[in-house]
Amino acid sequence: MAATFFGEVVKAPCRAGTEDEEEEEEGRRETPEDREVRLQLARKREVRLLRRQTKTSLEVSLLEKYPCSKFIIAIGNNAVAFLSSFVMNSGVWEEVGCAKLWNEWCRTTDTTHLSSTEAFCVFYHLKSNPSVFLCQCSCYVAEDQQYQWLEKVFGSCPRRNMQITILTCRHVTDYKTSESTGSLPSPFLRALKTQNFKDSACCPLLEQPNIVHDLPAAVLSYCQVWKIPAILYLCYTDVMKLDLITVEAFKPILSTRSLKGLVKNIPQSTEILKKLMTTNEIQSNIYT
Amino acid sequence: MDVCTFEKVGIRGTNIVVLGVEKKSVAKLQDERTVRKICALDDHVCMAFAGLTADARVVINRARVECQSHKLTVEDPVTVEYITRFIATLKQKYTQSNGRRPFGISALIVGFDDDGISRLYQTDPSGTYHAWKANAIGRSAKTVREFLEKNYTEDAIASDSEAIKLAIKALLEVVQSGGKNIELAIIRRNQPLKMFSAKEVELYVTEIEKEKEEAEKKKSKKSV
């Protein structure tokens, strides 16, 4: 019961359910077919972490199996291109495993045989220092799969003595600011860090009321809850496809403690990046 | 919406106006001649645009008709400022009408007026226009503009070849793979628009590279 503004008393809708629900419940009870469909869908959307050599699933989470002091995660094609050209070229990285998943955004129907050119999520570690991990994630991880991804990678009780760095991109139209959007120096970097991250960021922190979405947000929230020092570098860009200027916007991160020591030959990396761009260039005729 | 516009540079010299554009690579089977970035609006005015090609086509057609209409009515060719104002007014109308969207192009309009003075104007989708001594539009316009601010001097624009070289140098700052991706057009006083062939552009690029090498040699000699 509730009182309205005018003083009359009306019966308010109750979210706990009404008394005459028993009849409706019978119709809502799950049939065996419904259950089967639901289980099938859950199996299809399962996130599986596979070992590299044997392609069998890992029994424990990735970071429970291997000790980790530094973990760099690139989410999105521009961030992946940045790590490929600048970090993966400066050392010998060995593939440790990969995450296989399917959701409506994946452009493949075959979940068992995802080829390397399709959307992927691969984990590497540095051969000379196996506690340094890198993740190249160019697939979209749906909301219901993010928790599974975190469980399979970090586990349910992660260590605190590691540092996480996340790189990702977002379209500049998502950036809320009181400045005129025409004057924004896109692409530009913003950072968001957890409470336990004590170092300084190489760019301004993300201003309110902007928020982070999807997998980067899930990882950062997880790190905040488990008191792991983590920092997210978010590049706001006006071109979401693979783009040289967007990838180069990540360059200030090369001087931070997160990536120091992992990057050696920057001019060579720039050349490699340019080659990557030309092989991936799809020219459209809409713009001149 | 992804924005992927290529660089355009406009420079106003004393006796010449230069428009340089970054050529985009066309698909193998596509006819290169149908991809035009620098368009003549009249004999003494031309423009380069950055943005949606289809929108530019509509604006250019309207501007060309207006140039001829003006010539017939007033018996004088349009001034660069007049045609720029016409284009800007057209663009502004589309920002204030229901059911329409603004034209997605920025344009650099160059030319000579009857009084013999060179002009360069820039318009943007909001319908504003401003006169410039030298400007750039496109994705890395900021970088190119900074280069122009440092290198645009009275000496640099005094001679025609220096003005052309300045435009090419500005484009080389941001254009990948050098001179073969640059298209150039000039208008000299009382002369029609001249488009440079790829060979002519290459000649200037080699000259610029030679000058750069000599400047570096001089620097290293001085430091020794």
Side-chain angles (χ1 to χ4, degrees):
Chain A
M1 302 302 232
T4 66
F5 189 68
F6 301 100
E8 49 193 272
V9 175
V10 293
K11 192 172 179 192
C14 174
R15 278 190 279 189
T18 54
E19 279 135 28
D20 36 302
E21 253 198 23
E22 281 168 18
E23 291 169 19
E24 297 169 29
E25 247 192 60
E26 274 186 36
R28 262 193 259 136
R29 216 173 282 150
E30 203 178 47
T31 63
E33 289 90 22
D34 288 342
R35 197 180 305 131
E36 189 53 44
V37 167
R38 193 169 52 78
L39 287 175
Q40 248 184 26
L41 203 61
R43 249 176 274 140
K44 204 175 182 190
R45 296 179 74 86
E46 195 190 328
V47 177
R48 288 168 299 159
L49 212 61
L50 306 172
R51 258 191 229 97
R52 179 180 155 261
Q53 291 101 337
T54 56
K55 293 289 176 203
T56 52
S57 293
L58 278 168
E59 313 85 26
V60 291
S61 71
L62 187 79
L63 297 188
E64 271 174 57
K65 194 174 165 70
Y66 303 100
C68 172
S69 61
K70 214 184 245 189
F71 196 0
I72 307 160
I73 309 174
I75 302 170
N77 51 3
N78 284 303
V80 162
F82 174 74
L83 283 191
S84 293
S85 326
F86 287 88
V87 176
M88 294 195 71
N89 264 308
S90 306
V92 182
W93 293 83
E94 197 183 16
E95 188 185 322
V96 172
C98 65
K100 286 245 158 95
L101 55 93
W102 177 89
N103 53 51
E104 292 76 15
W105 286 267
C106 284
R107 292 190 182 185
T108 171
T109 45
D110 187 353
T111 55
T112 46
H113 298 108
L114 280 172
S115 73
S116 55
T117 49
E118 292 170 60
F120 55 79
C121 187
V122 190
F123 299 89
Y124 303 89
H125 72 178
L126 191 58
K127 234 178 172 171
S128 56
N129 183 359
S131 69
V132 177
F133 274 81
L134 198 148
C135 170
Q136 301 273 60
C137 183
S138 78
C139 59
Y140 178 72
V141 182
E143 291 83 357
D144 57 315
Q145 295 171 318
Q146 283 158 17
Y147 183 70
Q148 277 191 62
W149 192 95
L150 287 169
E151 282 270 283
K152 298 270 163 80
V153 175
F154 288 90
S156 42
C157 197
R159 277 172 271 229
R160 287 183 205 175
N161 55 350
M162 55 180 168
Q163 199 188 63
I164 316 280
T165 310
I166 311 157
L167 305 176
T168 191
C169 278
R170 193 83 191 159
H171 204 278
V172 72
T173 46
D174 284 341
Y175 184 66
K176 296 168 187 60
T177 173
S178 53
E179 279 175 44
S180 148
T181 45
S183 62
L184 286 174
S186 141
F188 57 92
L189 275 184
R190 286 292 184 267
L192 196 60
K193 49 187 181 166
T194 59
Q195 211 164 14
N196 286 60
F197 189 88
K198 299 300 177 199
D199 296 339
S200 57
C202 63
C203 61
L205 293 180
L206 188 65
E207 304 91 343
Q208 288 199 357
N210 293 292
I211 60 172
V212 182
H213 302 78
D214 304 328
L215 188 62
V219 177
L220 210 62
S221 306
Y222 187 88
C223 294
Q224 172 67 6
V225 165
W226 288 104
K227 298 187 171 35
I228 303 170
I231 185 163
L232 162 70
Y233 287 104
L234 179 53
C235 177
Y236 282 102
T237 174
D238 46 5
V239 181
M240 283 311 280
K241 63 179 172 110
L242 197 60
D243 170 60
L244 182 66
I245 300 175
T246 306
V247 176
E248 290 196 331
F250 282 111
K251 267 188 172 163
I253 306 172
L254 296 175
S255 56
T256 61
R257 239 184 66 170
S258 316
L259 290 188
K260 227 175 201 172
L262 294 175
V263 185
K264 271 143 206 157
N265 197 340
I266 294 184
Q268 196 191 44
S269 304
T270 319
E271 282 310 308
I272 293 170
L273 181 62
K274 281 199 182 140
K275 259 191 219 161
L276 200 73
M277 292 295 155
T278 44
T279 49
N280 277 300
E281 223 165 45
I282 310 164
Q283 292 291 6
S284 103
N285 279 317
I286 301 180
Y287 298 104
T288 301
Chain B
M1 188 175 82
D2 278 349
V3 174
C4 194
T5 57
F6 301 84
E7 298 319 305
K8 322 277 182 285
V9 149
I11 292 184
R12 206 182 98 194
T14 327
N15 302 310
I16 188 176
V17 286
V18 187
L19 267 184
V21 306
E22 180 187 355
K23 231 181 355 189
K24 76 174 188 193
S25 49
V26 293
K28 267 194 198 158
L29 296 173
Q30 193 173 46
D31 189 345
E32 229 186 58
R33 290 171 304 163
T34 56
V35 184
R36 279 267 146 261
K37 278 131 278 170
I38 303 178
C39 310
L41 297 180
D42 203 345
D43 296 328
H44 61 296
V45 188
C46 73
M47 93 174 216
F49 61 89
L52 292 165
T53 323
D55 285 7
R57 197 179 59 232
V58 171
V59 169
I60 289 170
N61 284 343
R62 298 256 194 109
R64 282 174 173 167
V65 168
E66 179 61 22
C67 284
Q68 299 313 307
S69 166
H70 185 277
K71 218 186 265 183
L72 284 171
T73 324
V74 179
E75 294 192 351
D76 270 333
V78 293
T79 60
V80 185
E81 203 254 344
Y82 176 89
I83 196 64
T84 309
R85 199 166 358 112
F86 172 79
I87 291 173
T89 315
L90 175 67
K91 284 186 182 179
Q92 192 279 336
K93 275 200 198 125
Y94 279 68
T95 66
Q96 222 177 356
S97 311
N98 59 336
R100 293 177 179 184
R101 61 161 178 81
F103 285 102
I105 61 165
S106 283
L108 285 175
I109 302 158
V110 294
F112 277 91
D113 285 341
D114 260 349
D115 57 7
I117 301 184
S118 57
R119 310 268 183 214
L120 164 65
Y121 287 91
Q122 187 217 345
T123 65
D124 59 29
S126 65
T128 53
Y129 70 96
H130 300 277
W132 290 77
K133 290 183 190 163
N135 198 5
I137 52 177
R139 200 118 192 271
S140 315
K142 197 166 163 235
T143 320
V144 180
R145 212 173 293 130
E146 281 167 5
F147 175 86
L148 288 171
E149 279 172 14
K150 278 190 211 144
N151 294 283
Y152 184 92
T153 56
E154 292 308 315
D155 295 332
I157 53 147
S159 93
D160 293 356
S161 60
E162 288 303 308
I164 294 170
K165 271 192 247 172
L166 180 63
I168 297 178
K169 273 189 237 176
L171 275 176
L172 286 173
E173 290 281 302
V174 289
V175 163
Q176 292 140 41
S177 56
K180 52 181 156 64
N181 272 10
I182 293 179
E183 223 171 76
L184 210 67
I186 58 164
I187 300 185
R188 287 197 171 94
R189 196 178 291 115
N190 297 325
Q191 286 180 37
L193 170 74
K194 175 178 187 300
M195 295 283 306
F196 276 32
S197 66
K199 273 195 199 147
E200 288 167 313
V201 177
E202 260 318 302
L203 280 170
Y204 276 102
V205 172
T206 13
E207 217 182 293
I208 290 171
E209 280 169 3
K210 240 194 248 171
E211 283 174 12
K212 220 179 170 182
E213 273 175 37
E214 281 170 15
E216 274 172 19
K217 271 190 204 158
K218 272 193 195 158
K219 244 193 191 171
S220 54
K221 270 191 192 160
K222 267 192 190 167
S223 61
V224 165

